[in-house]
Amino acid sequence: MPLIEVSSTPVVLRLNRDLVRLIKRGDPWVYADALRDLPHAPAGTPAVLLDNRKGQAVARGFYDPRCPVALRICETDPELKLDDRWAERRLRGALDLRRGFSFDGPTNGFRLLNGEGDCVPGVVADVYGDTAVVKLDGEGPAGFWKIDELAEWLAREQNLPRIYERQKERGAAGRPLVGTTPAEPVSFREHGLEFTADVVRGQKTGFFLDQRDNRQLIRAWSRDATVLNVFSYTGGFSIAAGAGGATHVTSVDVAPAAIEAANAHWQRNGFPADQHTGVAADAFEFLAQASSEKRRWQVVVLDPPSFAPNRESVPKAKSAYQNVIEAGARVTARQGLLAVASCSSHIDLPMFLECCEEGISRARRRGTVINVGGQPTDHPTPLALPEFRYLKFVLLRLD
Ligand code: SAH
């Protein structure tokens, strides 16, 4: 059975402007407004792209006339047909990049496929121990990739007994592709620490694997410190801080289930119960109250959800970041550390550093940048697609 849609004849699309150089440089997205017309075809239909001048073929990919990114490019050599050999080559390339991870090693929770970054447009696969979670980014990828066959291929190649599919839409029901639906959160390790991911009900695919390197950084800076982890989810940064020798860690998240999991993860790693406090509360309210009570922590981590889902929301998002950074700075001890993350692709690093500067100065503090981090090696991105390098993580010391 094929891994991709190969039965329909490719639809022919034509550029209305000269984007050939960008495409040859590796930009994998062609927006609908760059195409001369949008022929009627089902989402995921294979496509050949012609240039705007002589009508020469420049690339192959798949098409979704209803998506702003109407064409996702799979191959910039138009002579190469998109078939199973093509798909296997891409998939093997992705597996090859993960040679540093092993299922019996200290880190067996990692991203196996990162969509465009692995030249498998629109497919994400995260591994948690013996379970993988696959997610397709919309109807185009869902029409192009044969998800059941792809899951069987991955299960065979990686000896995975269980693969589960999550839907892009939040709250939409997933389904088992290989094996059965996990009855409870699945166990995995990150740098030797024990975690679980609720792959059925949890956020994203169950865990925020993209913060792995940044959690290690916090681990290294937590010795003998009191740590506040705001927007903690299931306590990733909290457990890292505990492992690094924090004297006490407070985790704050608005979702009670996340806090329950953070408490469970703390215990699971054998840390003393009285050195962790899980608080299910709104972050802004918690920070305001803590600040009015003059509470201070030596390390403060802020990892809010994306405040900028689109370009239009950037001004509002900047002010939301400034507010949360200001509130975080107000509860950071003298000479303490403040770590702030942004996962909004529409807020770039210079913009984010400006938000840090604004928020910190409003709290009447000054910051020294100690480190600027981002996504780990299992989240590769096309050089020509900056939108994919969404994660920014700034570690500062406040005076
Ligand atoms: N740092 C986490 C990931 C954080 S994701 C990790 O390493 O795993 C962002 C989290 O913010 C989510 O868990 C979400 O429930 C929480 N959140 C969203 N809005 C919030 C709010 N107003 N107050 C507190 N938490 C909030």
Side-chain angles (χ1 to χ4, degrees), residues 203 207-208 211 215 229 231-237 252-255 258 281-284 303-305:
Q203 296 190 37
F207 199 73
F208 291 85
Q211 291 282 23
R215 283 190 282 264
N229 179 15
F231 306 99
S232 68
Y233 188 48
T234 58
F237 282 102
V252 180
D253 198 284
V254 76
D282 174 75
F284 294 89
D303 182 17

Side-chain angles (χ1 to χ4, degrees), residues 16-153:
N16 62 18
R17 60 190 85 155
D18 190 8
L19 295 180
V20 175
R21 235 168 61 100
L22 277 177
I23 290 167
K24 295 291 182 194
R25 281 177 171 222
D27 184 344
W29 286 351
V30 179
Y31 285 87
D33 64 8
L35 294 174
R36 195 171 282 190
D37 32 45
L38 296 169
H40 188 74
T45 304
V48 178
L49 182 68
L50 310 182
D51 70 21
N52 62 323
R53 294 185 184 175
K54 296 188 183 152
Q56 279 176 336
V58 290
R60 285 178 187 268
F62 58 86
Y63 176 55
D64 182 357
R66 283 181 303 181
C67 182
V69 179
L71 174 70
R72 296 194 192 222
I73 290 172
C74 296
E75 187 53 68
T76 49
D77 178 354
E79 300 300 313
L80 281 176
K81 288 239 158 36
L82 301 185
D83 54 17
D84 256 12
R85 273 183 48 198
W86 171 85
E88 277 211 39
R89 200 170 60 243
R90 297 306 201 176
L91 291 166
R92 284 196 198 289
L95 303 189
D96 191 47
L97 261 191
R98 275 73 179 180
R99 269 171 306 174
F101 296 90
S102 71
F103 290 88
D104 52 4
T107 299
N108 65 358
F110 58 94
R111 179 153 291 189
L112 190 57
L113 299 175
N114 195 39
E116 276 73 348
D118 280 306
C119 305
V120 289
V123 194
V124 155
D126 286 343
V127 169
Y128 300 106
D130 66 357
T131 304
V133 184
V134 181
K135 204 170 183 177
L136 295 171
D137 183 28
E139 286 180 30
F144 181 71
W145 293 98
K146 299 290 165 209
I147 187 78
D148 290 273
E149 285 75 18
L150 179 69
E152 271 162 37
W153 190 93

Side-chain angles (χ1 to χ4, degrees), residues 373-394:
Q375 292 148 234
T377 57
D378 52 339
H379 290 61
T381 60
L383 179 57
L385 191 61
E387 289 98 315
F388 254 52
R389 288 183 285 282
Y390 58 88
L391 187 62
K392 298 150 293 283
F393 186 84
V394 182

